[in-house]
């Protein structure tokens, strides 16, 4: 019974974090956006220190029409030999145009949780830790609403189960929704 209670408690913490992230996304996107564009990034990547392969998904929500700042909820997933590492968080990004021809360069910082899952199954959480993160990258347009991106992300766990500093790289597609 004690082991079952521990699993239920960990599952409840996991559900609460998802509800918080979804609530923040909903509250930010429910306001008026005027000429602002919502960006979606989907791509593959790898963690450099442990050679774990995985992916990245994020939504970039503009905060202002005057300043190129975005709030970006993200999730990444890396796996190797049955051990999964899932950074889940929120970052504040500054995006600047590279030139009149197009493209952006961006950087930012944020925080969130780092979930570590072990062998027993896909829903068994063996650890959930707070983390800080920083990221930077470039985006280039392929068409009017579509483009590609490449970025690097640093993250560090407060409880340090995964090592001192972790770096990951991702590349993929970015899609712009809304705007003028």
């Amino acid at each position: 019974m004690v082991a079952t209670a521990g699993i239920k408690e960990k599952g409840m913490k996991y559900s609460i974090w998802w509800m918080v992230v979804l609530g923040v996304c909903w509250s930010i996107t429910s306001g008026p956006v005027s000429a602002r564009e919502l960006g979606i990034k989907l791509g593959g990547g790898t963690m450099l220190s442990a050679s774990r392969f995985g992916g990245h998904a994020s939504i970039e929500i503009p905060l202002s029409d005057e300043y190129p700042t975005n709030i970006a909820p993200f999730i990444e997933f890396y796996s190797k030999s049955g051990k999964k590492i899932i950074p889940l968080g929120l970052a504040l990004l500054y995006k600047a145009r590279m030139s009149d021809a197009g493209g952006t360069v961006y950087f930012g910082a944020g925080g969130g949780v780092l979930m570590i899952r072990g062998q027993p199954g896909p829903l068994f959480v063996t650890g959930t830790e707070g983390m800080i993160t920083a990221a930077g990258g470039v985006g280039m347009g392929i068409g009017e609403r579509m483009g590609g991106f490449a970025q690097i992300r640093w993250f560090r766990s407060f409880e340090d189960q995964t090592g001192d500093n972790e770096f990951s790289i991702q590349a993929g597609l970015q899609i712009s929704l809304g705007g003028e």
Side-chain angles (χ1 to χ4, degrees):
M1 283 183 106
V2 173
T4 306
I7 292 172
K8 286 181 181 177
E9 181 180 315
K10 287 180 181 180
M12 182 62 132
K13 286 181 185 177
Y14 177 69
S15 298
I16 291 170
W17 278 111
W18 274 109
M19 286 188 288
V20 167
V21 168
L22 291 173
V24 168
C25 293
W26 178 79
S27 65
I28 291 171
T29 59
S30 63
V33 292
S34 63
R36 296 180 267 171
E37 284 186 355
L38 184 74
I40 298 172
K41 289 184 178 172
L42 299 169
T46 185
M47 264 177 71
L48 299 178
S49 65
S51 297
R52 298 178 196 279
F53 295 100
H56 169 90
S58 63
I59 300 171
E60 294 179 353
I61 305 159
L63 295 176
S64 167
D65 287 335
E66 297 176 35
Y67 303 104
T69 54
N70 294 269
I71 188 100
F74 68 89
I75 185 167
E76 295 176 9
F77 178 88
Y78 302 102
S79 180
K80 183 179 182 180
S81 302
K83 186 174 182 181
K84 299 163 187 72
I85 296 179
I86 305 165
L88 172 67
L90 196 63
L92 181 63
L93 298 178
Y94 177 83
K95 294 178 76 172
R97 292 195 67 63
M98 286 194 293
S99 71
D100 290 338
T104 58
V105 62
Y106 58 91
F107 58 90
V113 294
L114 185 63
M115 295 180 285
I116 300 165
R117 295 181 178 182
Q119 294 279 1
L123 296 177
F124 189 82
V125 178
T126 58
T128 301
E129 310 165 355
M131 71 165 184
I132 57 173
T133 184
V138 295
M140 295 297 290
I142 297 172
E144 189 175 318
R145 297 279 180 193
M146 194 170 223
F149 76 94
Q151 69 181 17
I152 186 165
R153 181 177 302 279
W154 165 84
F155 56 92
R156 182 179 175 105
S157 162
F158 293 134
E159 295 180 28
D160 209 33
Q161 271 191 12
T162 61
D164 290 337
N165 294 298
E166 296 291 344
F167 291 91
S168 62
I169 57 172
Q170 302 89 31
L173 292 175
Q174 59 186 12
I175 302 164
S176 297
L177 304 172
E180 293 179 346

